[in-house]
């Protein structure tokens, strides 16, 4: 079946290439700031409904050659400005002049996004709420990897789940990490193994933006996207540029964490082809906070390099290629100068990851039709050691291959039944082959999962109303019967400054291995292993959201406020229970089905611009995460309805100010409310539940940009993370500690210094 799908995809590509003939119709023009009348450089210019486009050059001028004959809408978009659309009539052999004047947009309401339905649309008109993390947010918060920046959106919380290796996960709307689908350029290739440390594997210099959709409102994304979708859009070449940067952190004033990044891009004169290269290197020394000889933050050495390029084939198609590779070594525990089996506790992994893919967009004479084929792959080798007590048999080896291939057809209709509509249909095949061997623990996982999917959705949309109806048909190789997952979303804007949205989505998670199952924690001087129950049933979900968004622009200020309610009902919910100990005394945990759970709450978000160069963003979540019946995780603890590691409230705040032209000041903070966590025996005499204190992690950054000469900039920055050292105070000590007993901010007080040179 996989070979048939790939053959069909390539055949359609060849057909589409020969279906079109080039024309000699061109567009030229310039882009101005409407107030200052200054030319704007590097503005994106695109033809709506196609992938044809370019960017304005350093003087604000642009040119697009060889456009198909017909009537089109050309769009100019630029971060911080309202996009502008102009309708044009293209005739063969003629050149048109089309000029733009863009107005500033302080709230970024019309920023173009794709994650609401895999079709470009302004954020305010998207049928689902799409939050965007820009490189500016990563800068202002001194984020060095994806995990650092995701805390600054409502409903999102990144937590560290291991004191040794730093295993982290993202929770959206109160749900565990596996409920979130992580995409790279809209492709779901992050497997269970990649998810263990995946949030730290993505350096920010390869990211153009991150789009986050809470909830599973679109049928185009997998049915496991119950909590939401995190779509990592990698950097696409738009101009000739070079950037080199370094950030040096000193954790608690003692332990260095140094990150060096390189970005370079080149684009041909006629925008026929282009490529961008990104490379990153990170070295972090281990850090022992409570001075017991065992690390709270592990050692990390990581190198990554990759590229993304495009080639416009005779103006009838656009081929996009992407590839990156990551080599990462991490280790936590003690005795770092010795082999891991000579340490009292050691969690060590050595990853080699290769990821890549292609996308081909076919252009037609009639722009109402679009065809896209794609395929992405990821291969991982992992050498690991998860052991205690100088165990020589705790080594392991894991391989993982993930693949997704598909085809998507888009048909844009001027009117279907009652308003303009866009129909998107397609099919997708995904495959994951995982082999994990830990012979010392008598654990061998050899799992192959294939999913055949057909999806279709129709979205009616105008400036006031959007209605999305869709469904997804999935045949999971580990589930006997196919599963149909319907999705519906709606948007209504009765007046220009008010938008109402609502959605319903059903989904499921298959009875397979998940990222947490591939991580082995040290507990009480032994290992804690998670196994999957033989009779594990698929978990099913029904999710509802409703939101109200206010956006108001005043002469001297701007204000945005969002209130979103969410409700998710889970049946056959996955829970982890303690079942036994093996002959060596290792703790055996089992993923099994519970009675069910309900997660509900409200996300609040506000953006205030009291003046042109001063902006405040804040978000807060109030939630309840309860099992329908009390679940027992340990014989020594009473059954509990509350979900663990799910605080009832959490939030963030970020303020940026530029008192003079090249000086940027930023203040950011993350609030984490009290929550229940499990504390296994070892350092303590018996298992217990702990209610954690409240944390507020406050950060400050200052940056100044020096203009060395035309188009040559030097930025110097400095600051401090976790100024008040709001950090866990009761870590276990010694070789019998529970390494999973960790909560709160991921770093103690940390100072940093940064420098960036760009052309």
């Amino acid at each position: 079946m996989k070979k048939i799908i790939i053959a069909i995809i390539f055949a359609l590509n060849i057909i589409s290439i020969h279906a079109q003939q080039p024309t000699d119709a061109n567009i030229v023009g310039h882009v101005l700031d409407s107030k200052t009348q200054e030319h704007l450089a590097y503005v994106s210019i695109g033809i709506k409904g196609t992938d044809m486009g370019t960017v304005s050059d350093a003087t604000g001028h642009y040119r697009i050659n060889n456009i198909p004959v017909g009537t089109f809408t050309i769009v100019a978009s630029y971060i911080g400005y309202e996009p502008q659309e102009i309708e044009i009539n293209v005739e063969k052999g003629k050149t048109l002049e089309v000029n733009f004047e863009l107005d500033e947009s302080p709230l970024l309401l019309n920023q173009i996004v794709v994650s609401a339905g895999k079709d470009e649309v302004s954020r305010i008109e998207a049928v689902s709420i799409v939050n965007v993390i820009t490189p500016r947010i990563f800068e202002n918060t001194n984020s060095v990897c994806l995990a650092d920046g995701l805390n600054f959106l409502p409903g999102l919380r990144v937590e560290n789940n291991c004191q040794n290796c730093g295993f982290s996960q993202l929770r959206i709307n109160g749900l565990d990490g596996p409920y979130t689908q992580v995409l790279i350029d809209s492709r779901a290739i992050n497997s269970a193994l990649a998810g263990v440390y995946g949030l730290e594997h993505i350096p920010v210099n390869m990211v153009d933006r991150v789009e986050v959709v809470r909830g599973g409102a679109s049928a185009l994304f997998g049915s496991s996207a119950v909590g939401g979708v995190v779509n990592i859009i990698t950097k696409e070449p738009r101009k000739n540029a070079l950037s080199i940067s370094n950030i040096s952190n000193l954790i608690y004033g003692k332990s260095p964490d140094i990150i060096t990044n390189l970005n370079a891009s080149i684009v041909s004169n006629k925008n026929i082809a282009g490529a961008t290269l990104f490379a990153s290197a990170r070295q972090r020394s281990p850090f022992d906070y409570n001075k017991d000889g065992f690390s709270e933050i592990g050692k990390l050495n990581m190198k990554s390099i990759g590229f993304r390029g495009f080639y416009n084939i005779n103006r009838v198609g656009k081929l996009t290629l992407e590839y990156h590779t990551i080599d990462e070594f991490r280790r936590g525990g003690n005795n770092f100068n010795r082999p891991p089996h000579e340490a009292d506790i050691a969690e060590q992994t050595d990853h080699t990851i290769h990821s890549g893919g292609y996308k081909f967009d076919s252009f037609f004479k009639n722009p109402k039709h679009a065809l896209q084929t794609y395929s992405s792959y990821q291969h991982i080798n992992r050498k690991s050691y998860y052991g205690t007590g100088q165990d020589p048999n705790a080594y392991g080896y894991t391989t993982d291959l993930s693949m997704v291939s598909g085809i998507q057809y888009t048909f844009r209709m001027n009117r279907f039944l009652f308003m303009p509509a866009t129909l998107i249909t397609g099919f997708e095949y995904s495959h994951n082959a995982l082999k994990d061997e830990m012979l010392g623990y008598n654990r061998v996982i050899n799992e192959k999962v294939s999913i055949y999917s057909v999806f279709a959705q129709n979205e009616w949309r105008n400036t006031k109303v959007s209605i999305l109806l869709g469904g997804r048909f999935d045949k999971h190789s580990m589930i006997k019967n196919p599963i149909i997952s319907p999705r519906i979303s709606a948007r209504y804007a009765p007046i220009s400054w008010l938008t109402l949205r609502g959605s319903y989505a059903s989904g499921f998670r298959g009875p397979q291995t998940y990222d947490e199952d591939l991580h082995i924690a040290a507990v009480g001087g032994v290992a804690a292993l998670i196994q999957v129950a033989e009779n594990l049933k698929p978990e099913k979900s029904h999710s509802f959201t409703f939101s109200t968004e206010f956006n108001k622009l005043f002469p001297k200020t701007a204000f945005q406020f969002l209130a979103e309610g969410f409700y998710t009902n889970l049946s056959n919910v996955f829970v982890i229970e303690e079942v036994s100990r093996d002959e060596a005394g290792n703790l055996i945990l089992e993923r099994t089905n519970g009675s069910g759970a309900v997660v509900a709450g409200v996300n609040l978000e506000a953006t205030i611009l009291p003046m042109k160069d001063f902006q405040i963003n804040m978000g807060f979540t109030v939630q309840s995460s309860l099992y329908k019946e009390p679940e027992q995780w340990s014989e020594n603890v009473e059954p509990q309805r509350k979900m663990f590691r799910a605080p009832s409230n959490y939030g963030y705040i970020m303020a940026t100010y530029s008192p003079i032209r090249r000086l940027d000041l930023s203040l950011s903070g993350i609030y984490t409310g009290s929550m229940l966590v499990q504390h296994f025996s070892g350092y303590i005499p018996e298992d217990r539940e702990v209610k954690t204190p409240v944390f507020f992690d406050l950060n400050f950054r200052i940056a100044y940009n020096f203009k060395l000469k035309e188009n040559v900039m030097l930025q110097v920055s400095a600051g401090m993370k976790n100024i008040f050292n709001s950090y866990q105070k009761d870590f276990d000590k010694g070789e019998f500690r529970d390494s999973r007993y960790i909560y709160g901010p991921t770093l103690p007080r940390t100072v940093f210094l940064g420098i960036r040179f760009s052309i």
Side-chain angles (χ1 to χ4, degrees):
M1 183 65 184
K2 179 170 67 174
K3 294 180 179 178
I4 293 173
I5 291 173
I6 295 174
I8 292 173
I9 289 170
F10 277 105
L12 288 169
N13 283 344
I14 294 171
I15 292 170
S16 62
I17 290 172
H18 291 285
Q20 301 288 331
Q21 295 297 326
T23 69
D24 190 23
N26 312 308
I27 302 174
V28 298
H30 63 238
V31 187
L32 302 176
D33 183 299
S34 62
K35 288 185 178 180
T36 66
Q37 291 297 298
E38 293 182 355
H39 284 88
L40 296 175
Y42 312 124
V43 176
S44 295
I45 314 292
I47 298 176
K48 204 170 184 179
T50 76
D51 265 353
M52 299 182 68
T54 185
V55 294
S56 61
D57 60 20
T59 67
H61 293 79
Y62 75 94
R63 181 184 182 92
I64 305 177
N65 295 322
N66 212 19
I67 303 168
V69 173
T71 300
F72 298 92
T73 299
I74 186 168
V75 183
S77 59
Y78 192 52
I79 292 178
Y81 287 82
E82 294 281 345
Q84 185 180 358
E85 298 184 359
I86 297 177
E87 189 173 283
I88 58 173
N89 186 30
V90 179
E91 299 180 15
K92 187 174 182 179
K94 291 188 177 181
T95 298
L96 296 176
E97 182 176 350
V98 182
N99 298 318
F100 294 91
E101 293 190 11
L102 302 186
D103 299 320
E104 282 193 86
S105 174
L107 295 178
L108 301 181
L109 300 178
N110 288 303
Q111 182 173 4
I112 301 300
V113 296
V114 298
S115 295
K118 291 190 181 179
D119 191 29
E120 289 189 351
V121 62
S122 65
R123 190 172 68 86
I124 193 63
E125 292 186 5
V127 69
S128 301
I129 298 170
V130 182
N131 287 104
V132 181
I133 302 176
T134 64
R136 188 66 183 269
I137 293 177
F138 287 129
E139 271 193 28
N140 291 336
T141 58
N142 195 49
S143 299
V144 299
C145 64
L146 183 64
D148 295 338
L150 290 176
N151 283 300
F152 296 95
L153 285 181
L156 274 63
R157 193 174 69 84
V158 178
E159 63 182 23
N160 186 353
N161 292 153
C162 184
Q163 200 175 350
N164 288 328
C165 65
F167 164 49
S168 60
Q169 66 170 312
L170 170 67
R171 292 174 178 259
I172 298 183
N173 287 352
L175 295 170
D176 286 349
Y179 291 94
T180 297
Q181 190 170 56
V182 178
L183 312 175
I184 298 178
D185 293 322
S186 300
R187 307 292 167 238
I189 59 170
N190 254 32
S191 63
L193 181 59
V196 178
Y197 306 109
L199 297 179
E200 286 194 289
H201 282 165
I202 306 296
V204 297
N205 73 308
M206 70 177 279
V207 179
D208 180 70
R209 67 186 186 276
V210 180
E211 298 181 1
V212 178
V213 180
R214 293 184 294 271
S218 174
L220 306 185
F221 302 115
S223 296
S224 62
V226 178
V229 171
V230 175
N231 193 2
I232 304 161
I233 311 296
T234 58
K235 289 186 176 180
E236 185 173 356
R238 296 187 178 95
K239 60 181 180 179
N240 297 329
L242 173 68
S243 175
I244 302 173
S245 65
N246 176 272
I247 298 174
S248 298
N249 299 278
L250 203 58
I251 302 172
Y252 209 53
K254 299 177 180 179
S255 188
D257 182 8
I258 301 173
I259 304 96
T260 302
N261 295 320
L262 168 70
N263 288 79
S265 59
I266 185 170
V267 180
S268 64
N269 290 334
K270 296 183 179 181
N271 205 49
I272 294 174
T276 184
L277 173 73
F278 41 84
S280 179
R282 182 179 185 182
Q283 291 185 319
R284 184 182 69 195
S285 297
F287 174 66
D288 176 13
Y289 183 75
N290 59 5
K291 299 180 181 179
D292 66 339
F294 295 81
S295 65
E296 273 66 59
I297 298 174
K299 180 179 182 178
L300 180 65
N301 290 329
M302 186 176 73
K303 299 179 181 66
S304 66
I305 188 170
F307 75 90
R308 180 175 178 179
F310 71 87
Y311 176 60
N312 289 310
I313 305 174
N314 296 329
R315 294 296 178 180
V316 300
K318 181 179 180 180
L319 177 66
T320 303
L321 299 173
E322 190 274 332
Y323 169 80
H324 68 271
T325 181
I326 298 171
D327 285 310
E328 186 215 57
F329 173 88
R330 67 170 63 215
R331 177 172 169 178
N334 73 332
N335 293 341
F336 287 89
N337 59 339
R338 298 180 184 177
H341 64 267
E342 294 184 11
D344 298 299
I345 296 176
E347 294 187 25
Q348 177 178 299
T349 59
D350 195 346
H351 287 88
T352 301
I353 304 174
H354 297 276
S355 301
Y358 87 94
K359 178 183 70 169
F360 188 82
D361 294 281
S362 304
F363 304 145
F364 297 90
K365 290 182 179 179
N366 187 342
K368 293 181 180 179
H369 302 274
L371 185 68
Q372 182 183 102
T373 59
Y374 55 87
S375 188
S376 298
Y377 300 84
Q378 183 177 78
H379 185 266
I380 305 175
N381 279 326
R382 184 184 78 172
K383 299 176 183 177
S384 62
Y385 179 91
Y386 292 100
T388 62
Q390 302 184 356
D391 184 357
N393 300 312
Y395 289 93
Y397 184 73
T398 311
T399 60
D400 184 76
L401 174 65
S402 301
M403 186 273 286
V404 58
S405 294
I407 183 167
Q408 177 179 302
Y409 168 71
T410 303
F411 178 41
R412 298 176 177 87
M413 296 166 276
N414 293 331
R415 188 175 184 86
F416 176 54
L417 297 179
F418 45 84
M419 70 171 65
T422 299
L423 173 67
I424 300 178
T425 63
F427 66 86
E428 191 171 81
Y429 170 76
S430 61
H431 178 75
N432 181 221
L434 169 70
K435 187 173 183 180
D436 180 64
E437 295 183 345
M438 300 284 293
L439 300 180
Y441 294 131
N442 195 30
R443 186 179 85 169
V444 177
I445 300 173
N446 195 353
E447 185 176 271
K448 294 183 179 180
V449 177
S450 296
I451 303 176
Y452 299 88
S453 305
V454 177
F455 56 84
Q457 71 178 31
N458 192 77
E459 182 180 355
W460 292 267
R461 183 174 70 233
N462 59 29
T463 56
K464 283 196 170 184
V465 178
S466 298
I467 302 172
L468 185 148
L469 291 174
R472 189 176 182 94
F473 180 92
D474 293 287
K475 178 59 183 76
H476 193 291
S477 60
M478 299 181 72
I479 303 175
K480 181 179 180 181
N481 297 317
I483 296 179
I484 299 176
S485 303
R487 308 285 169 90
I488 180 172
S489 300
R491 174 189 65 91
Y492 177 50
I495 48 182
S496 61
W497 49 269
L498 175 64
T499 304
L500 307 175
R501 292 183 176 91
S503 70
Y504 161 75
S506 70
F508 73 93
R509 291 204 295 161
Q512 63 195 75
T513 301
Y514 288 95
D515 48 14
E516 190 176 356
D517 307 336
L518 296 168
H519 171 253
I520 299 175
V523 177
V526 296
L529 300 93
I530 299 175
Q531 64 185 24
V532 177
E534 291 184 4
N535 59 346
L536 187 66
K537 300 176 183 177
E539 180 186 79
K540 297 184 178 180
S541 65
H542 298 276
S543 180
F544 301 84
T545 65
F546 179 79
S547 67
T548 302
E549 184 176 4
F550 299 88
N551 300 285
K552 196 70 174 175
L553 299 176
F554 300 97
K556 293 185 178 181
T557 188
F559 176 75
Q560 176 188 22
F561 177 76
L562 170 73
E564 176 193 40
F566 58 89
Y567 175 89
T568 301
N569 190 317
L570 301 169
S571 58
N572 294 326
V573 63
F574 292 159
V575 296
I576 296 177
E577 298 178 351
E578 180 180 341
V579 293
S580 64
R581 290 185 180 266
D582 63 15
E583 294 179 356
N586 296 309
L587 181 64
I588 306 301
L589 308 173
E590 187 172 75
R591 182 180 300 278
T592 185
N593 294 112
S595 59
V598 172
V599 179
V602 176
N603 292 316
L604 303 174
E605 179 185 12
T607 301
I608 306 169
L609 289 91
M611 62 182 70
K612 180 181 178 181
D613 298 313
F614 183 42
Q615 180 170 326
I616 301 173
N617 301 85
M618 63 187 80
F620 196 76
T621 298
V622 180
Q623 70 178 36
S624 170
S625 304
L626 298 174
Y627 294 113
K628 293 179 181 178
E629 300 291 340
E631 299 290 344
Q632 181 141 23
W633 63 275
S634 169
E635 294 180 353
N636 300 321
V637 181
E638 290 294 321
Q640 175 65 257
R641 283 194 64 199
K642 292 192 70 174
M643 289 186 177
F644 293 102
R645 310 186 73 88
S648 298
N649 47 75
Y650 52 94
Y652 70 94
I653 187 169
M654 182 167 55
T656 58
Y657 179 48
S658 299
I660 57 178
R661 185 176 180 183
R662 295 194 180 96
L663 179 64
D664 295 323
L665 307 175
S666 59
L667 192 70
S668 59
I670 302 170
Y671 169 83
T672 306
S674 181
M675 56 184 164
L676 277 181
V677 298
Q678 297 161 306
H679 194 175
F680 285 90
S681 61
Y683 179 74
I684 59 174
E686 60 182 29
D687 299 345
R688 68 182 183 185
E689 298 171 357
V690 176
K691 186 176 182 180
T692 69
V694 170
F695 294 95
F696 183 65
D697 178 1
L698 184 66
N699 316 299
F700 174 74
R701 178 180 182 269
I702 180 172
Y704 190 83
N705 297 279
F706 298 90
K707 187 174 183 180
L708 303 181
K709 57 191 306 185
E710 191 67 29
N711 296 327
V712 180
M713 301 293 295
L714 176 67
Q715 183 190 84
V716 178
S717 62
M720 181 178 292
K721 287 188 170 185
N722 203 350
I723 296 172
F724 301 123
N725 198 38
S726 182
Y727 197 59
Q728 182 176 343
K729 308 299 182 185
D730 65 338
F731 287 113
D732 282 358
K733 294 183 178 181
E735 60 184 294
F736 297 108
R737 69 181 184 176
D738 175 7
S739 64
R740 298 188 307 174
Y741 183 60
I742 183 171
Y743 53 85
T746 57
L747 287 174
R749 184 185 296 116
T750 299
V751 295
F752 62 87
L753 177 68
I755 187 169
R756 185 179 66 201
F757 175 80
S758 58
I759 303 176

